[in-house]
Amino acid sequence: MNQQTEPPAAEPRIAPPRGLARELFTLKRDPLPKMSRPRWLAWLPHVVLCYAAIPSGVLTGMQLSDHYGVHGAAVLGLSLLTSASILLSMFRPIAAWWLGLVTAALVAWVIHDHVGQGQSWPWTAVGPFTLASLILMVALRVPPRVTAWVIGITLALSGLAEAVLRPPHSQTIIAGVAILFGFVGILGYALRATRLARGKLVEQETLTEEERARRTLLEERSRIARELHDVVAHHMSVISIQAQVAPHLVENPSEELKENLAGIRENALEALTELRRVLGVLRSEQPDDPANPHHPQPTLAELDGLVDNVRGAGLDVTTEIAGIRRPLTPGVELTAYRIVQEALSNCLRHAPGSQVEVGIAYGPRDLHLCVANTAPTRPALPSPGAGHGLLGMRERAGMLGGELAAGARPDGGYEVTAVLPMDPQDLPGGSTPETK
């Protein structure tokens, strides 16, 4: 393990200088991010920069002509370069900083022979503020170490120019410039850290919500698997017992019949064993869990008891059954009961005081379910649930090849409808579809 981890640890000692050089000498496009809150001010930083570019160029020209006596095309050119550097910082901050640094050097060269008593050099009065805005744009979008190098290079070149080329009688403002650049660098770092932290928080919240939904889906699938496990295990046990008893119901059964029935029983027991081995781990160990094998799985025959319980909780529930009521396959019975149960639970949690209608229609091939409620008459209390009940209902319906829809009604209520095939084995392909 130590031999595998040592080589990668040695590489960063060489990589940072090259990486830093690439970051300091780059034309990479890095647009200024928009404000996240409030949304209607998203483009405010871009608008401010556009407006700042104009007075910066104008003030630079005024400084050159009014205070240093520089005239001609040089004033116009340097003013345009100043404005261009600020506009460029919206898209390429490092390139804009280099352009601003070159512009400051040209300004210092142009005014060198025009500096009078007490006038500043190499910076004009407006120059540090223009470059400070560029450093701020850099600090907002690059790592802190790059910002530190940007400020260090700027101050080093400024100090070198003062030490070597400073005109007589000129005034130095290097200390104030250093404080200004340090302040905007720290401000940019703080704003950048806040933006990155907010982005990480939003990303984490999104991942947490996705993980919560995925966990809820897995829990619901596990509960469905436990319930279907009980249904399938019951039928396999019945097959095994019938195969064992069948020879005793026939006079003088042939050896071939006994052998076939014994094979049926043996296959049923093997299938039951494998089923318990694969799905048994999903069975709850809590004796009060409805999926416990000692609790019979509910069917639509128990719908009246379910409705009575909901009425006792304070909801006005009416039921209507259409078609010929008849027993269905255990999986359809269980799924239909659970969908109605979850829909009624949602009415209790989210629509207190509403009127609820439960409709069940037995068609030739499909079972139609509808649970609709009117608008609530009083505010709903906060629900401790995870808010993924519809996800479980859709899983149950989809498992049988059925469909489920839910949505608001025009009167302010809510409606859940489902269509379940009477016999899932009649689906194309001859088998029950996998859970999606």
Side-chain angles (χ1 to χ4, degrees):
M1 293 295 292
N2 292 336
Q3 294 179 353
Q4 295 178 353
T5 56
E6 287 178 358
E11 292 179 0
R13 298 177 183 175
I14 303 177
R18 292 182 295 179
L20 179 62
R22 284 194 298 266
E23 291 175 329
L24 285 174
F25 298 94
T26 180
L27 297 177
K28 181 180 67 173
R29 180 179 174 84
D30 188 4
L32 180 66
K34 297 184 291 185
M35 291 180 62
S36 58
R37 296 175 184 177
R39 292 184 177 179
W40 61 278
L41 289 179
W43 294 98
L44 179 61
H46 304 75
V47 174
V48 171
L49 279 178
C50 290
Y51 277 104
I54 298 175
S56 295
V58 173
L59 289 175
T60 298
M62 293 176 60
Q63 285 278 319
L64 294 177
S65 60
D66 296 343
H67 295 275
Y68 293 94
V70 178
H71 303 281
V75 175
L76 178 61
L78 292 174
S79 299
L80 292 177
L81 284 177
T82 301
S83 299
S85 63
I86 295 180
L87 293 176
L88 183 62
S89 67
M90 287 192 293
F91 308 101
R92 290 178 168 83
I94 295 296
W97 166 68
W98 280 113
L99 179 60
L101 203 60
V102 170
T103 303
L106 291 175
V107 169
W109 177 67
V110 167
I111 67 174
H112 184 273
D113 296 333
H114 299 269
V115 178
Q117 181 69 33
Q119 290 183 319
S120 60
W121 191 90
W123 299 100
T124 63
V126 72
F129 296 98
T130 300
L131 201 62
S133 64
L134 301 179
I135 293 176
L136 178 62
M137 293 298 103
V138 170
L140 286 174
R141 284 172 280 176
V142 301
R145 64 188 182 92
V146 179
T147 302
W149 275 95
V150 165
I151 297 175
I153 291 174
T154 304
L155 293 178
L157 293 178
S158 177
L160 181 63
E162 283 203 18
V164 178
L165 302 173
R166 180 180 176 183
H169 312 298
S170 64
Q171 181 182 0
T172 177
I173 57 172
I174 188 65
V177 170
I179 295 175
L180 176 63
F181 290 172
F183 172 75
V184 296
I186 294 174
L187 176 62
Y189 165 75
L191 294 176
R192 178 176 182 269
T194 302
R195 175 171 56 86
L196 294 179
R198 186 181 294 114
K200 288 290 185 181
L201 180 60
V202 172
E203 180 182 356
Q204 186 61 40
E205 289 177 350
T206 303
L207 293 176
T208 301
E209 182 62 27
E210 292 176 354
E211 181 63 27
R212 185 183 297 112
R214 183 164 51 249
R215 185 171 62 250
T216 302
L217 175 61
L218 293 177
E219 291 174 354
E220 186 63 28
R221 287 181 175 178
S222 297
R223 189 157 69 98
I224 295 172
R226 291 197 303 268
E227 294 175 350
L228 293 183
H229 175 206
D230 297 333
V231 174
V232 176
H234 168 73
H235 286 287
M236 295 301 295
S237 299
V238 171
I239 293 173
S240 175
I241 294 173
Q242 289 176 339
Q244 183 179 13
V245 174
H248 301 285
L249 303 178
V250 181
E251 286 189 28
N252 301 320
S254 63
E255 293 298 326
E256 183 179 5
L257 177 60
K258 291 182 178 180
E259 183 178 348
N260 288 335
L261 291 174
I264 292 174
R265 182 174 184 273
E266 182 179 353
N267 289 333
L269 291 176
E270 289 181 0
L272 185 59
T273 301
E274 290 297 326
L275 179 65
R276 286 173 174 165
R277 180 178 300 148
V278 175
L279 298 179
V281 69
L282 299 175
R283 190 184 303 280
S284 174
E285 297 180 358
Q286 299 178 2
D288 295 332
D289 196 307
N292 191 283
H294 300 293
H295 291 261
Q297 297 300 335
T299 65
L300 289 177
E302 304 175 32
L303 180 63
D304 293 338
L306 174 62
V307 171
D308 289 340
N309 289 336
V310 177
R311 286 178 183 148
L315 280 185
D316 182 8
V317 185
T318 58
T319 60
E320 184 176 351
I321 299 177
I324 302 175
R325 191 169 186 173
R326 57 191 183 274
L328 308 173
T329 58
V332 176
E333 289 271 4
L334 175 61
T335 299
Y337 181 91
R338 292 301 189 198
I339 289 176
V340 174
Q341 182 185 41
E342 181 62 32
L344 290 176
S345 298
N346 287 340
C347 293
L348 283 172
R349 286 194 295 264
H350 305 298
S354 63
Q355 295 180 348
V356 184
E357 297 178 358
V358 178
I360 300 177
Y362 291 82
R365 298 179 57 118
D366 298 321
L367 177 69
H368 297 259
L369 306 173
C370 179
V371 180
N373 63 272
T374 60
T377 59
R378 58 181 182 272
L381 297 176
S383 174
H388 297 286
L390 287 175
L391 180 64
M393 289 191 282
R394 286 196 176 96
E395 282 292 311
R396 291 181 179 275
M399 179 188 61
L400 298 178
E403 297 179 354
L404 186 138
R409 303 174 64 185
D411 61 356
Y414 203 81
E415 183 176 83
V416 176
T417 59
V419 179
L420 305 177
M422 290 287 191
D423 187 356
Q425 293 182 353
D426 291 338
L427 293 171
S431 61
T432 302
E434 295 181 359
T435 304
K436 295 180 181 179

